[in-house]
Amino acid sequence: MPVLLRTALLLALLALYGASAHAADTQAVPFVMQMTVGDSDAQRRAFLQIAKVLEDIGPHKVKVEVVAYEGGIASLLADNSDTATLLAALAREGVRFKACRISMRSHGHTDADFPLEVEFVSAGAPEMIRLQMQGYRYWRP
């Protein structure tokens, strides 16, 4: 094989390796936070933890989803004065919020009780397991 062709192939391989290594560095690591606590102060602290992680590590390096069920469903309510502003700000940073429909029904809530940023899932616990099966890391507030 001529030296010029060998050199061109080596440079092409190095460029491909560099591109794939860079892509791996920039891919966000996914985390799922289980929000089941009914304590409003604890819910607020959990949202503040997410904000701090995004600030320190960067919103492009971590991907966060919050799955709320049981008492944690209150953290996603539009009229929750402790978390509503934080929820909106975090959603703008790419954080996804999911409310469990079973918990919504058991607490007497409808879709209208939640801001537009909140998505709905049929059940919280299976959503937690599904996301972890997809490679999300569990984050406990």
Side-chain angles (χ1 to χ4, degrees):
M1 181 182 285
V3 174
L4 187 57
L5 182 58
R6 205 174 352 171
T7 303
L9 284 173
L10 181 60
L11 288 173
L13 286 172
L14 287 173
L16 284 173
Y17 174 76
S20 67
H22 178 69
D25 288 345
T26 60
Q27 186 155 4
V29 177
F31 287 88
V32 59
M33 177 183 280
Q34 176 180 334
M35 181 66 69
T36 56
V37 296
D39 174 22
S40 186
D41 188 48
Q43 294 166 353
R44 180 174 174 72
R45 286 193 315 270
F47 285 7
L48 289 170
Q49 287 175 16
I50 296 170
K52 186 62 175 164
V53 165
L54 294 176
E55 177 185 328
D56 285 4
I57 296 174
H60 298 4
K61 294 197 178 206
V62 291
K63 174 181 174 182
V64 180
E65 293 197 19
V66 176
V67 179
Y69 57 104
E70 298 177 356
I73 201 76
S75 69
L76 305 185
L77 291 171
D79 66 355
N80 185 325
S81 60
D82 291 324
T83 58
T85 303
L86 282 168
L87 185 150
L90 291 171
R92 284 191 298 276
E93 292 292 325
V95 177
R96 293 177 68 185
F97 295 91
K98 297 180 177 181
C100 165
R101 289 205 181 273
I102 294 171
S103 296
M104 289 169 58
R105 279 192 301 274
S106 71
H107 288 89
H109 298 301
T110 66
D111 292 12
D113 296 328
F114 297 87
L116 294 176
E117 295 89 352
V118 174
E119 301 170 41
F120 304 99
V121 294
S122 58
E127 181 69 5
M128 289 293 302
I129 299 299
R130 185 185 67 74
L131 289 171
Q132 289 176 75
M133 290 173 67
Q134 292 178 359
Y136 280 69
R137 298 172 184 185
Y138 177 76
W139 177 2
R140 182 177 172 267

